[in-house]
DNA sequence: TTATTTTTTGGAACCGTTTCCAAAATTAAA
DNA sequence: TTTAATTTTGGAAACGGTTCCAAAAAATAA
């Protein structure tokens, strides 16, 4: 592998000149530039990224901490982040907390990234407490949180207004005339699950509707657990005409389980999911779901990390409003009963 | 940030000694070791990974080239790879070819990894031609292919015997007495799709069954396209009692579409999917699917890359046999007709 | 033309490690 | 105790870039 010295020698110039040519932001006479360019192609020179990093004190690596790879949800996030950072010639190194049970393991996972001298870190961490996040930020300020709402760290947190998301769902049910409403919650130690739950309940309350606590079961954001939760709800023999699910996995599980019991979704029971993943359109019936602008969130988080790490000044927005994608899994109660 | 020199000075030893202590494979007297350890904690020293890489000519980074982040399929792969490499303190940098339409774009994506001086690259590349892969390997020998079968590069390719996978599915249909069989194929420019398709047809042929070419439609591995493919199959009014889908996305689409048309899956039409993703268990009815040992494949690919890059000699296996996870979406034809 | 300013250039110093070599310290053998 | 063999150690050189500084070259002004 040719080094910058080889290029300099072949071009008959000093190493500084080659380096300056490479960086592009110094003035180089056109003849010298040509000589350097020729030598570089001749030797098929490619700068050594380690040497570069060492010297410039920038690794050009951004760490990406994800809780899991599952779901269309993270997919869109990963995809957007990869695109945004590659565009700017930054590289992504990956840490996955998939099997991490304890906060300690999750922090270890972060250390694994820090060890590699990332310039900054993107974290999508639904489950760490605000307290832990604050500690992380104090120790490692070049960090940005995706899908978290943190009051004291507002400019480093990018997320949807999940409270509003919950309200949207409730409002839709109210408008359709539903009164007996059940809920399959998400992983309730996750902040987003809490917010959408609270928003949902608050909006109902505002409409004078109270949810029977025994019609609330946890689906833990997983398909399997949500199947069980739905079964549990049905076994109680307390009628309900609407079901709010904390994500689309849950929603799909609920639709499938209700159908299996001979209940026509959209007619007997209306179901709303959350996240509006690609598949939501293809359940039968197609599922009404709260849409979160994940691409915009991810893009803005990337911009903020670029601002923090490389002195750029890209405009950013922190909080994004959800919307409701209405499909056939929800119908007015009066039209059927 | 403290450097090795600071540690050496504080401990009253030379830098070489600190470095040797750090590496762990040189003999150090116990007193010196203690002094160094004390100085390191005192300064909360952490070695600079760029300097290390530059000096040792090892980046300890493995590039991971994935065609997409979608599906439970890639999820398990990512998860396994991350775990295996993290265990050995290697880092993963990510390149996603999601939007790449042309081979050129896919190669650019590879260059993006090479630029970062990865020690090796893991590629999951269903769509590049064997010719392109050979060129890649020639230019960059520290590469390993996941989910590819390459005759001339057998030891660098890790995959399932997809031909056998296709045969397993066909055999199951034959044993259940099915004769009128339809197919929703995958992305047919991908090698794995071709193999399983061929295996499926060959096995049927061996049983004296020929598939009506008009009962073969492409689902392109996507849910949406497979919905359309299934609709198309139904619109032809040619009866079939069995349907082989090239992946589980297709299978789920088919099940959903058939149900929508009042066809009872598992009774009127048997459906087999492929990949056996987690969700296969939760369709209604639960879907019979060809299971591929993705975790073992990924793990072995990692081992091979570790062998190639770091002189380890972990045992490896290249080709893995699929199995059939039989569920309720397939039933004997005689029992219902 | 010469003096002055500006642009371009070469090369040394530095980034923080690893590794090699010779010297020093320790241990074993005589 | 002295000598030889072995272990441990300090420090210089190298890894391949970037950046700074002073010198050289070119452009401009007098």
């Amino acid at each position: 592998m040719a080094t910058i010295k080889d290029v300099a020698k072949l071009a008959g110039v000093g190493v500084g000149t080659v380096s300056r040519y490479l960086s592009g932001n110094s003035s180089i006479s056109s003849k010298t530039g040509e000589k350097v360019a020729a030598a570089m192609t001749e030797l098929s020179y490619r700068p050594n990224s380690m040497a570069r990093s060492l010297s410039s004190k920038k690794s050009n690596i951004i760490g990406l901490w994800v809780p899991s790879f599952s779901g269309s949800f993270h997919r869109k996030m990963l995809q957007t982040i990869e695109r945004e950072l590659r565009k700017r010639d930054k590289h992504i190194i990956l840490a996955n907390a998939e099997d991490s049970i304890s906060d300690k393991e999750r922090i270890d996972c972060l250390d694994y990234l820090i060890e590699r001298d990332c310039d900054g870190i993107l974290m999508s961490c639904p489950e760490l407490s605000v307290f832990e996040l604050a500690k992380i930020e104090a120790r490692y300020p070049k960090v940005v949180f995706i899908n978290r709402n943190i009051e004291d760290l507002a400019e480093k947190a990018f997320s949807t207004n999940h409270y509003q998301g919950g309200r949207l769902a409730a409002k839709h049910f109210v408008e359709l005339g539903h009164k007996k409403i059940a809920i399959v919650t998400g992983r309730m130690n996750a902040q987003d699950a809490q917010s959408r739950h609270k928003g949902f309940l608050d909006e109902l309350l505002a409409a004078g509707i109270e949810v029977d606590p025994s019609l609330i079961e946890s689906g833990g954001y997983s398909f399997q657990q949500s199947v069980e939760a739905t079964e549990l709800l049905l076994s109680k023999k307390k009628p309900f005409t609407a079901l709010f699910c904390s994500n689309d996995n849950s929603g799909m599980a609920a639709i499938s389980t209700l159908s299996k019991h001979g209940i026509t979704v959209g007619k007997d029971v209306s179901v709303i999911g959350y996240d509006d993943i690609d598949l939501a359109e293809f359940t039968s019936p197609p599922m009404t779901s709260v849409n979160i602008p994940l691409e915009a969130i991810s893009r803005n988080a990337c911009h903020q990390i670029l601002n923090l790490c490389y002195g750029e000044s890209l405009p950013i927005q922190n909080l994004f409003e959800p919307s409701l994608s209405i499909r056939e899994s929800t119908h007015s109660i009066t039209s059927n009963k």
Side-chain angles (χ1 to χ4, degrees), chain A residues 3-305:
Chain A
T3 73
I4 201 169
K5 276 186 192 160
D6 302 325
V7 174
K9 198 182 293 172
L10 183 63
V13 301
V15 288
T17 306
V18 178
S19 177
R20 277 184 294 262
Y21 174 83
L22 230 46
S23 82
N25 45 29
S26 300
S27 46
I28 296 275
S29 81
S30 55
K31 320 152 217 166
T32 331
E34 279 161 31
K35 282 192 293 180
V36 172
M40 281 188 1
T41 38
E42 164 94 23
L43 298 169
S44 59
Y45 169 73
R46 193 171 54 71
N48 178 304
S49 69
M50 282 96 103
R52 240 180 189 180
S53 294
L54 177 60
S55 179
S56 67
K57 292 169 172 303
K58 283 271 172 258
S59 66
N60 290 305
I61 294 177
I62 300 295
L64 177 57
W65 190 104
V66 289
S68 133
F69 296 122
S70 60
S72 310
F73 184 81
H74 288 102
R75 170 193 161 201
K76 201 174 259 170
M77 195 179 83
L78 279 171
Q79 202 181 322
T80 307
I81 292 172
E82 207 267 352
R83 189 185 321 118
E84 286 298 317
L85 296 182
R86 175 130 69 103
K87 219 193 297 184
R88 292 172 175 83
D89 260 306
K90 307 305 175 202
H91 290 253
I92 299 168
I93 81 169
L94 205 58
N96 170 25
E98 196 102 29
D99 300 319
S100 304
I101 299 305
S102 64
D103 278 8
K104 186 183 171 311
E105 281 180 289
R106 286 186 260 262
I107 304 288
D108 284 349
C109 196
L110 184 68
D111 285 331
Y112 166 71
L113 291 176
I114 292 176
E115 188 185 283
R116 168 60 44 181
D117 297 306
C118 299
D119 293 333
I121 292 180
L122 290 165
M123 286 192 83
S124 167
C125 46
E127 295 184 359
L128 281 168
S129 68
V130 172
F131 179 72
E132 284 294 340
L133 297 184
K135 280 207 314 205
I136 289 171
E137 200 271 343
R139 182 160 77 96
Y140 194 90
K142 304 250 173 130
V143 68
V144 150
F145 303 102
I146 299 183
N147 250 292
R148 289 300 298 250
N149 233 308
I150 315 169
E151 216 172 315
D152 298 318
L153 243 42
E155 79 288 353
K156 291 188 178 177
F158 294 79
S159 76
T160 316
N161 187 340
H162 287 294
Y163 180 80
Q164 181 61 18
R167 289 186 57 190
L168 277 180
K171 208 167 155 214
H172 185 54
F173 278 153
V174 169
E175 284 170 358
L176 294 174
H178 292 278
K179 300 239 153 51
K180 296 181 173 164
I181 298 173
I183 305 175
V184 173
T185 68
R187 229 178 282 115
M188 285 302 273
N189 51 338
Q191 187 193 38
D192 56 352
Q194 292 167 18
S195 308
R196 64 190 73 168
H197 188 65
K198 184 155 192 317
F200 187 77
L201 293 181
D202 282 2
E203 180 70 24
L204 287 185
L205 218 60
I209 299 171
E210 232 174 301
V211 175
D212 178 347
S214 70
L215 284 180
I216 302 177
E217 286 295 337
S218 170
Y221 281 155
S222 91
F223 194 100
Q224 177 152 25
Q225 227 177 304
S226 299
V227 166
E228 290 159 14
T230 311
E231 294 280 5
L232 218 63
L233 287 174
L234 291 171
S235 71
K236 291 179 182 162
K237 307 284 178 202
K238 297 191 183 176
F240 56 91
T241 65
L243 175 60
F244 176 50
C245 298
S246 259
N247 71 353
D248 285 345
N249 253 344
S250 278
M252 286 164 64
I255 288 179
S256 149
T257 309
L258 292 170
S259 304
K260 201 176 295 175
H261 282 261
I263 297 166
T264 306
V265 173
K267 193 155 159 274
D268 304 331
V269 172
S270 286
V271 173
I272 299 184
Y274 204 107
D275 288 345
D276 199 15
I277 63 176
D278 297 346
L279 248 53
E281 225 178 308
F282 299 109
T283 54
S284 63
M287 179 166 56
T288 296
S289 186
V290 177
N291 180 282
I292 72 172
L294 194 54
E295 202 176 317
I297 293 175
S298 308
R299 187 157 13 89
N300 277 269
C302 286
H303 288 182
Q304 177 69 300
I305 210 80

Side-chain angles (χ1 to χ4, degrees), chain A residues 58 90 142 303-314:
Chain A
K58 283 271 172 258
K90 307 305 175 202
K142 304 250 173 130
H303 288 182
Q304 177 69 300
I305 210 80
L306 291 164
N307 289 349
L308 286 174
C309 300
Y310 308 106
E312 305 207 29
S313 42
L314 301 157

